[in-house]
């Protein structure tokens, strides 16, 4: 039974009572598994591998296409994914009883920390917090201060930031890049038209939108000069009308402590609404963490 507060929440989200009831019915009935006939392969046609000659023909056709400034090309990047799952082992170490690395994951983390893309930022923050670098803290056996400096709110806050804003790739000739910045580079390599325009659209979470917009302002200038590109970057947020009701084991709506209905954001499939709002002739869709460093970009972008 829904109350007045429930109806107000549904109206605010743009979800009808009929849609709510259908969601609950689906959760009670369960969802059947998709029956697969075989794994995709070259032999059964599930994977297509064009010959070098055909690839060259495709490349020429694409270059001809983007040379026409009337053709609208957009790179669409779902970028709201949180990084918290990436650090679950580090959180376990931080909350555990051992003060020294006691799992293979944590040991490997500290072995490779000197090569991390975020090392310079981390050392600056640790100097601010403890007056010591990560190397000095590790030498003293204070491993947990290093992890806290990386994940905690007083540190770099990586545990609460989206993956798109983390330093992913380290370069000797320039500062490290985030996945967001790598997408700008990729966009300039295969989605730039004859006038140099590169259009990218990122879906982000509301609480991080301003951080993305700030990075977009500086990164678009930096890579615009480097790749002779004029970036047009836009953002949207996953629509609350695609949220899904949480249910109890008996199929009734789950409620928070204050009695309100609990909704959870839909998965990437819910972004079809945002994708549908993009007016373009060709749209490249690629998730935020599906990026490669410059040394491997030839596997992504063929010239």
């Amino acid at each position: 039974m829904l109350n007045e507060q429930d109806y107000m929440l549904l109206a605010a989200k743009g979800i009808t009572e009929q849609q709510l009831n259908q969601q609950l019915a689906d959760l009670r009935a369960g969802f059947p598994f998709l029956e697969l006939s075989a794994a995709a392969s070259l032999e059964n046609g599930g994977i297509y591998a064009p010959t070098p000659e055909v690839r060259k023909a495709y490349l020429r056709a694409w270059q001809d296409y983007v040379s026409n400034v009337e053709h609208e090309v957009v790179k669409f990047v779902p970028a709201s994914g949180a990084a918290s799952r990436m650090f679950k082992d580090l959180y376990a170490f931080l909350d555990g009883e051992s003060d020294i690395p006691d799992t293979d994951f944590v040991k490997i983390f500290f072995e490779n920390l000197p090569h991390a893309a975020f090392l310079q930022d981390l050392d600056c923050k640790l100097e601010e917090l403890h007056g010591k670098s990560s190397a000095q803290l590790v030498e003293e056996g204070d491993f947990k201060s290093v992890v806290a400096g990386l994940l905690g709110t007083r540190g770099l806050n990586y545990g609460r930031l989206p993956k798109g804003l983390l330093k992913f790739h380290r370069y000797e000739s320039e500062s490290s890049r985030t996945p967001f910045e790598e997408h700008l580079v990729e966009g300039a390599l295969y989605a730039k038209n004859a006038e140099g325009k590169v259009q990218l659209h990122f879906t982000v979470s509301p609480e991080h939108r301003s951080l993305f917009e700030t990075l977009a302002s500086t990164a678009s200038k930096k890579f615009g000069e480097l790749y002779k590109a004029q970036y047009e970057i836009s953002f949207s947020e996953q629509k609350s009308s695609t949220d899904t009701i949480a249910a109890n084991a008996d199929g009734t709506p789950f409620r928070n402590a204050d009695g309100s209905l609990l909704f959870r954001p839909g998965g990437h499939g819910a972004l079809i609404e945002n994708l549908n709002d993009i007016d373009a002739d060709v749209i490249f869709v690629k998730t935020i963490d599906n990026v490669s460093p410059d040394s491997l970009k030839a596997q992504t972008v063929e010239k």
Side-chain angles (χ1 to χ4, degrees):
M1 180 69 69
L2 300 180
N3 56 42
E4 184 177 353
Q5 182 185 21
D6 297 335
Y7 285 114
M8 292 176 62
L9 179 59
L10 290 175
K13 287 183 171 292
I15 299 174
T16 66
E17 183 177 0
Q18 181 181 2
Q19 289 172 321
L20 174 69
N21 290 331
Q22 184 61 56
Q23 288 185 12
L24 290 169
D26 290 338
L27 290 171
R28 284 192 292 267
F31 300 90
F33 290 103
L34 181 65
E35 186 174 338
L36 301 179
S37 59
S41 67
L42 289 171
E43 290 71 25
N44 63 22
I47 298 175
Y48 174 56
T51 64
E53 292 75 18
V54 172
R55 285 162 58 181
K56 289 179 181 178
Y58 285 160
L59 184 59
R60 287 194 299 269
W62 177 248
Q63 291 170 339
D64 290 342
Y65 186 86
V66 293
S67 67
N68 186 334
V69 295
E70 294 184 359
H71 292 154
E72 292 291 324
V73 179
V74 175
K75 196 168 192 281
F76 182 90
V77 185
S80 60
S84 54
R85 285 181 296 177
M86 295 171 56
F87 302 118
K88 64 178 183 178
D89 293 274
L90 292 180
Y91 273 118
F93 169 66
L94 197 59
D95 297 334
E97 296 181 359
S98 177
D99 291 325
I100 61 173
D102 56 353
T103 65
D104 289 341
F105 182 94
V106 179
K107 291 175 183 177
I108 292 173
F109 169 80
F110 279 103
E111 288 172 5
N112 289 278
L113 182 59
H115 310 293
F118 52 76
L119 180 65
Q120 184 176 357
D121 292 345
L122 178 60
D123 279 342
C124 287
K125 180 58 67 174
L126 292 175
E127 289 283 357
E128 177 186 320
L129 294 173
H130 306 287
K132 300 174 183 178
S133 68
S134 59
Q136 290 172 313
L137 289 169
V138 167
E139 181 68 24
E140 295 175 1
D142 192 359
F143 297 94
K144 287 194 172 181
S145 288
V146 176
V147 175
L150 176 67
L151 304 181
T153 55
R154 293 181 63 237
L156 296 182
N157 202 28
Y158 267 32
R160 295 189 177 185
L161 290 177
K163 287 178 283 188
L165 297 176
L166 309 185
K167 295 289 181 68
F168 257 42
H169 297 148
R170 182 174 179 174
Y171 294 93
E172 298 301 329
S173 59
E174 61 175 281
S175 59
S176 299
R177 292 181 196 163
T178 63
F180 180 88
E181 292 169 301
E182 293 289 13
H183 277 288
L184 266 62
V185 173
E186 276 194 16
L189 294 177
Y190 60 70
K192 182 172 66 174
N193 71 8
E195 295 180 336
K197 183 173 71 172
V198 182
Q199 299 183 80
L200 299 102
H201 183 87
F202 296 84
T203 61
V204 299
S205 55
E207 63 269 28
H208 297 127
R209 181 165 182 161
S210 63
L211 296 176
F212 275 105
E213 290 174 338
T214 298
L215 180 57
S217 178
T218 57
S220 60
K221 180 179 180 180
K222 172 184 176 181
F223 295 111
E225 294 175 353
L226 188 60
Y227 291 96
K228 296 180 174 56
Q230 293 85 48
Y231 288 101
E232 294 185 5
I233 302 173
S234 57
F235 298 93
S236 67
E237 299 161 12
Q238 187 165 314
K239 298 181 180 181
S240 59
S241 60
T242 64
D243 288 355
T244 303
I245 187 68
N248 295 303
D250 62 0
T252 58
F254 182 92
R255 293 183 180 274
N256 295 302
D258 63 359
S260 61
L261 295 172
L262 174 63
F263 284 87
R264 300 187 185 280
H268 279 332
L271 295 176
I272 195 72
E273 299 283 347
N274 302 65
L275 182 62
N276 191 52
D277 291 337
I278 303 297
D279 184 15
D281 300 304
V282 176
I283 302 178
F284 290 95
V285 180
K286 200 174 185 186
T287 54
I288 188 65
D289 54 354
N290 186 7
V291 289
S292 57
D294 286 353
S295 60
L296 298 175
K297 278 194 172 60
Q299 299 180 22
T300 300
V301 184
E302 186 171 347
K303 296 182 179 181

